[in-house]
Amino acid sequence: QIVLYRAIDKNIDKKLINLYTLQCMKTDKISLKEKLLELWQLYFTFFKIGAVTFGGGLAMLPILERTLIDKLKWTTKEDLMDYYAIGQVTPGIIAVNVATFIGFNKQGILGGIVATAGVVSPSVIIITVIAFFLETFSEIIWVQKALKGINVAVAALLTSILWKFIKGATKYWNKIIGFILVVISFVLLVFLKLPSPIVIIGGAIFGIITHVISSSKSMKIKENEKWALLKKSKLPKSQN
């Protein structure tokens, strides 16, 4: 009987192990399928964004907001602004850097590569096609007129983006201080011709200094409030 029970237990254990391995294989297949679908969605999303964007990475911001924040919920407005700020000081094009950041957040290194490939692919395809007909393409009158119209639209788009950046950047500061910082940065960039990475690094240093000062002030205020509460709690005892 003992031998029979052991044999039954072994058979049951084997069946359980087989069921567990089959279940693991199924879950692995499902997770792999989901990962491939998400990678394809990353590539196709950034391919569409890269295909319809004129004027560089800054002109891409409204499309990124509508697609990545409002529709897909892949990121937040604050994070997107941070990606743009980091993209200014890191090597490469802003649009490519932003796509790399978002792809990396979604699917790690592979996601960053796929998103970057997606945003770059339309430009590579279009430029390759135009390169064969470059001489005749640039001489076509309707193409010249279309490009002039596109430049005007992009200028208006960049103006609206600039206003959004100013509002988003100054809401964390006192309005007067934020406006002064915007004006100083504009003067340094446009009139004094300072490189943009230096201005951005200067703004980062200023932000760190103000954070340290404000945090020390808040700590002092909290300490004063604690002392005031302690004094109030001791007053009744002393009166008694």
Side-chain angles (χ1 to χ4, degrees):
Q1 286 180 352
I2 293 166
V3 173
L4 183 63
Y5 288 145
R6 284 182 180 174
I8 291 167
D9 288 340
K10 283 181 182 179
N11 289 328
I12 291 167
D13 290 339
K14 284 180 182 178
K15 286 179 181 178
L16 288 172
I17 290 164
N18 290 331
L19 286 170
Y20 179 73
T21 51
L22 285 169
Q23 190 67 29
C24 289
M25 288 172 68
K26 285 180 182 178
T27 53
D28 288 340
K29 285 180 181 178
I30 292 166
S31 61
L32 181 62
K33 187 178 179 181
E34 288 176 354
K35 190 173 183 180
L36 289 172
L37 284 171
E38 193 166 23
L39 287 171
W40 167 249
Q41 190 180 16
L42 268 173
Y43 179 84
F44 187 64
T45 300
F46 280 100
F47 185 91
K48 288 190 294 183
I49 291 169
V52 298
T53 302
F54 292 90
L58 290 173
M60 192 180 285
L61 183 60
I63 301 169
L64 289 173
E65 283 183 352
R66 285 196 302 270
T67 306
L68 304 179
I69 298 172
D70 300 333
K71 187 179 177 182
L72 297 174
K73 310 293 183 184
W74 282 357
T75 186
T76 61
K77 195 170 184 178
E78 289 77 15
D79 289 340
L80 190 61
M81 292 295 179
D82 290 340
Y83 295 152
Y84 264 80
I86 296 166
Q88 289 282 353
V89 293
T90 51
I93 306 165
I94 299 172
V96 173
N97 291 338
V98 171
T100 306
F101 290 142
I102 292 172
F104 181 80
N105 284 337
K106 292 295 292 178
Q107 286 288 341
I109 295 172
L110 185 60
I113 294 168
V114 169
T116 304
V119 80
V120 169
S121 295
S123 301
V124 173
I125 294 167
I126 293 166
I127 292 299
T128 305
V129 172
I130 290 173
F132 290 104
F133 313 100
L134 185 62
E135 293 182 1
T136 56
F137 188 81
S138 59
E139 293 174 359
I140 300 171
I141 296 171
W142 61 268
V143 171
Q144 295 174 1
K145 300 296 182 183
L147 289 173
K148 286 180 181 179
I150 289 169
N151 289 334
V152 173
V154 168
L157 191 62
L158 290 173
T159 305
S160 67
I161 291 163
L162 177 64
W163 178 244
K164 284 182 181 179
F165 263 110
I166 291 170
K167 286 198 295 184
T170 54
K171 74 176 182 179
Y172 299 104
W173 305 85
N174 186 299
K175 287 185 178 180
I176 297 169
I177 295 171
F179 182 74
I180 290 168
L181 285 173
V182 170
V183 172
I184 291 169
S185 301
F186 182 78
V187 170
L188 291 173
L189 288 168
V190 176
F191 296 104
L192 299 180
K193 305 296 181 184
L194 234 67
S196 57
I198 293 173
V199 177
I200 292 168
I201 291 167
I205 293 167
F206 182 80
I208 292 167
I209 291 168
T210 52
H211 174 70
V212 171
I213 293 168
S214 63
S215 59
S216 63
K217 283 182 179 179
S218 62
M219 288 292 289
K220 286 180 181 179
I221 291 166
K222 286 180 181 178
E223 286 178 1
N224 291 331
E225 287 176 354
K226 284 181 182 178
W227 280 110
L229 288 169
L230 284 170
K231 285 179 181 179
K232 284 181 180 179
S233 61
K234 287 178 180 179
L235 277 172
K237 290 181 181 179
S238 61
Q239 286 174 1
N240 291 330

